[in-house]
Amino acid sequence: MDRFAYINGSYKRHNQAEISIDDRGLQFGDAVYEVYSYQNGRVLDDDLHLNRLERSLGALGIKMPITRDSFKTIVARLVKMNNLKTGLVYFQISRGTAPRDHFIPKKKITPNIIITTKSMKIPDNSKMVKPINVISQDDIRWGRVDIKTVMLLPNCMAKTNGREKDCEEIVFVKNGVVTESASSNFFFVDSDNNLITAPTGDILEGITRNTLFDCAKKLGLKVIERKFSIKEARQAKEAFVSSATQIVRPIKKIDDSVIGDGKNYDICSKLYDMYMKIIPKIVE
Ligand code: PLP
């Protein structure tokens, strides 16, 4: 079946969707993106993702090029055209097209908008979620990882290193403290069942991370945002990563250390199921 993408006002087959070679996203990484999940008629946290999209654009001095309602209308149409059941919705907005020059154009240019969907299984409940192994890596990313830009080469390289060692994610460590993962936020559970995660600053403030704070509250669990070392994380009772596409993914091993007893992920499971419970059922 054909797969369709939205590009600058048109719906095109993927292999026919084109962008100028002078797109500043392509030339300089001068673009931001968002990802959220779609699951049988439900969009997970879409308003919060659109808020962050606006924030990321604002940090680069770019205005939202179309209204939120227009974004939602396009997504609904793409979901239908692509017959999407479960998967993800991807938005990429660059500053626009201009002759290649490091100086950001003084004159306003029209942002380039790309929206795609991808079919992907999103488990209905925690029983279907498989734990992963992770390894630690130096966090060599730039200083504004709080903006969701497309400059993901360090993340791609780190993840690829991880996969060579049978790890589906990695844990970034900067100046001795854990920041986050390559495409997710990192949490661990301490011996008092508190959820520990890095404070904002050196991380992307994950939408799922923040919704999980609400889930934790509903479950009577305390969340503590503080700095911690990889050594402390390796001694955790449970550990997990969070992101829009994985929600909560338990970690079996960090480097060579098995987390907890390597079998029980009770808190991860409760958080996953609570997340699925609090997301509005049907939006169409
Ligand atoms: N941190 C990084 C570096 C990411 O790339 C992502 C998701 O892409 C996250 C955290 C998780 O963010 P969210 O929960 O909004 O998907």
Side-chain angles (χ1 to χ4, degrees):
M1 203 187 101
D2 281 329
R3 188 172 161 217
F4 291 91
Y6 171 92
I7 182 156
N8 290 336
S10 309
Y11 296 84
K12 296 264 170 82
R13 287 190 170 78
H14 258 242
N15 58 2
Q16 285 165 9
E18 291 175 344
I19 195 125
S20 163
I21 56 171
D22 277 333
D23 172 58
R24 285 189 59 91
L26 178 63
Q27 293 283 352
F28 298 108
D30 191 357
V32 302
Y33 76 106
E34 265 308 325
V35 179
Y36 57 72
S37 285
Y38 178 87
Q39 197 204 35
N40 303 320
R42 301 197 286 175
V43 279
L44 312 192
D45 281 335
D46 60 339
D47 279 316
L48 298 175
H49 284 276
L50 289 171
N51 287 347
R52 187 174 60 189
L53 181 68
E54 188 163 8
R55 266 204 318 276
S56 296
L57 287 168
L60 303 185
I62 305 170
K63 284 212 179 83
M64 280 281 262
I66 55 173
T67 63
R68 263 152 205 273
D69 281 349
S70 305
F71 275 122
K72 290 183 183 182
T73 307
I74 295 165
V75 171
R77 185 153 169 205
L78 268 186
V79 161
K80 273 212 179 87
M81 288 175 92
N82 290 331
N83 197 19
L84 188 71
K85 302 289 180 240
T86 72
L88 60 86
V89 181
Y90 177 88
F91 298 75
Q92 182 171 318
I93 300 177
S94 78
R95 189 178 302 277
T97 304
R100 191 181 188 280
D101 190 346
H102 282 64
F103 290 110
I104 293 173
K106 266 206 183 124
K107 229 178 60 198
K108 282 268 166 300
I109 51 175
T110 309
N112 288 320
I113 308 173
I114 298 171
I115 307 178
T116 56
T117 67
K118 183 176 163 190
S119 185
M120 204 184 82
K121 229 179 158 42
I122 297 174
D124 289 330
N125 63 64
S126 60
K127 289 196 187 76
M128 299 151 78
V129 178
K130 286 206 178 81
I132 53 169
N133 296 331
V134 301
I135 49 163
S136 52
Q137 305 253 309
D138 270 354
D139 191 345
I140 57 161
R141 298 172 300 161
W142 76 319
R144 292 302 308 272
V145 295
D146 58 309
I147 312 171
K148 201 164 166 68
T149 76
V150 299
M151 292 190 294
L152 295 172
L153 189 55
N155 310 51
C156 294
M157 289 170 76
K159 265 189 109 128
T160 305
N161 277 340
R163 187 168 268 182
E164 278 160 17
K165 296 173 183 78
D166 217 14
C167 293
E168 279 306 299
E169 241 306 7
I170 61 92
V171 185
F172 277 134
V173 179
K174 186 175 176 181
N175 302 325
V177 298
V178 171
T179 53
E180 60 179 332
S181 294
S183 56
S184 46
N185 290 115
F186 179 87
F187 286 76
F188 76 86
V189 181
D190 73 7
S191 53
D192 295 324
N193 285 350
N194 297 316
L195 301 187
I196 316 292
T197 193
T200 54
D202 285 332
I203 63 164
L204 177 77
E205 193 175 345
I207 302 302
T208 319
R209 168 188 186 271
N210 292 355
T211 301
L212 286 175
F213 288 5
D214 298 336
C215 295
K217 203 165 163 197
K218 285 190 192 301
L219 292 166
L221 301 167
K222 197 165 149 195
V223 180
I224 303 171
E225 293 175 79
R226 68 163 170 85
K227 295 190 171 179
F228 57 90
S229 67
I230 189 74
K231 189 166 165 227
E232 190 181 354
R234 285 192 201 113
Q235 289 157 0
K237 196 169 163 187
E238 290 182 39
F240 62 92
V241 291
S242 72
S243 72
T245 50
Q246 305 202 79
I247 321 295
V248 171
R249 195 83 191 259
I251 295 172
K252 193 177 173 107
K253 249 166 78 179
I254 302 178
D255 299 320
D256 290 327
S257 307
V258 173
I259 302 305
D261 62 7
K263 282 194 261 293
N264 286 304
Y265 306 101
D266 291 348
I267 291 184
C268 291
S269 302
K270 282 186 180 140
L271 285 166
Y272 192 101
D273 294 333
M274 181 57 77
Y275 187 98
M276 283 303 172
K277 198 169 149 190
I278 68 168
I279 292 295
K281 280 274 179 279
I282 293 287
V283 292
E284 284 172 336

